[in-house]
Amino acid sequence: MAHVDTSSPRSRLPRAPMTSMPGIGRFPSHQLQHSSSQALASGLAKDAALAHAPNKDKSATFVYCHSSGSTLLYLESMLKQLALKYPEHTLNYGVVLRDHTLHPRDRIRVNGEPVDSSVFELCSSECKKRLEAEGSRICQPGCSFAEKLDTMVVSIALHVFNRLNVTAIAISMPHTPTLPTQAPNAAAAAAASESSSDAATLCLEQLVMEIFCPKIVICGFEPLPSYADSLPEEWRKSLIYLMRRSVHVISTSQPKPVRVQLLSLTKIFGLTIEL
């Protein structure tokens, strides 16, 4: 398994500008609220840049959001700073935001800018053809409208990223945490890992692996509430699915039971983790 070295001096990033979030910088309470997201985004940005620098390998960062999804906004700001600071590395990055204001196209951003409408329409047509061929596999009949929209936006975004030669992407995962009653063990983790590839439907992580085909995968977990006593079931399943690949897990400020479970899962599969 690949180990991502985060000790390089080049990986040291400036703090994200407080102007990257609406209203940030005017009230100290806002700074406290977003400090953990800022720290997580810094670690994710370092790994994305280091993964890209040697061979310009494709990397995908999954940001599992529990709160507002501010981590991804900080991450986008930091990737922009890196692209400006090291233009020789030609870091082309794309992000898929969690929400949009007017149009789903607004969620897809490349190098800090919304995707062009003509490119969006072209990639939408490609996704429509894929949906007609694999509709039952991409969207379950019981999915809510929001879940179907998330899947379609991510699918279109991945086609956009491939068309524009994006090499580093970050996606805000819209999982709603539901805490399991029992902690996972090694047998359960292995069984879930074996069965995940045979699932009748595609999760967002599978879409990314099949369409974008990243060589390096980075998973970032936003801090859970202090009273949480387990890693959310949806997050655990997603992590287990990805664990047969080269994955680097980054998480900060998690409750002790959650930290223990993250360490246990990564140890089972021999992965790199930064807590």
Side-chain angles (χ1 to χ4, degrees), residues 1-151:
M1 293 295 178
H3 176 78
V4 182
D5 180 17
T6 58
S7 61
S8 170
R10 190 174 59 194
S11 68
R12 296 172 184 169
L13 290 169
R15 295 179 66 85
M18 301 308 290
T19 54
S20 64
M21 290 291 294
I24 299 299
R26 296 175 59 191
F27 303 102
S29 60
H30 285 178
Q31 297 180 24
L32 293 174
Q33 180 182 355
H34 292 280
S35 60
S36 57
S37 295
Q38 197 176 57
L40 177 59
S42 177
L44 295 173
K46 287 190 292 185
D47 280 359
L50 288 171
H52 170 82
N55 304 310
K56 294 181 171 58
D57 291 329
K58 281 186 173 182
S59 68
T61 300
F62 298 102
V63 182
Y64 295 93
C65 304
H66 172 260
S67 53
S68 63
S70 57
T71 299
L72 192 61
L73 296 178
Y74 279 123
L75 175 58
E76 183 185 25
S77 175
M78 292 178 182
L79 288 174
K80 183 176 182 178
Q81 293 178 58
L82 284 171
L84 293 173
K85 189 174 183 180
Y86 302 104
E88 68 276 12
H89 294 310
T90 59
L91 174 63
N92 293 321
Y93 63 92
V95 300
V96 183
L97 301 177
R98 187 176 184 180
D99 298 303
H100 61 273
T101 304
L102 298 176
H103 192 279
R105 176 170 63 89
D106 300 336
R107 295 169 59 177
I108 306 172
R109 298 171 61 84
V110 176
N111 294 329
E113 299 294 335
V115 65
D116 183 76
S117 58
S118 59
V119 176
F120 180 84
E121 294 299 330
L122 182 61
C123 294
S124 296
S125 299
E126 295 177 359
C127 290
K128 184 178 179 182
K129 294 178 182 178
R130 178 183 172 93
L131 183 62
E132 291 172 351
E134 303 184 67
S136 60
R137 186 166 177 245
I138 294 177
C139 293
Q140 301 182 53
C143 285
S144 66
F145 174 78
E147 290 172 329
K148 291 179 181 178
L149 179 61
D150 287 334
T151 302

Side-chain angles (χ1 to χ4, degrees), residues 202-213:
L202 288 175
C203 63
L204 294 183
E205 290 86 354
Q206 287 175 284
L207 277 178
V208 173
M209 302 308 296
E210 289 190 7
I211 299 176
F212 188 68
C213 305

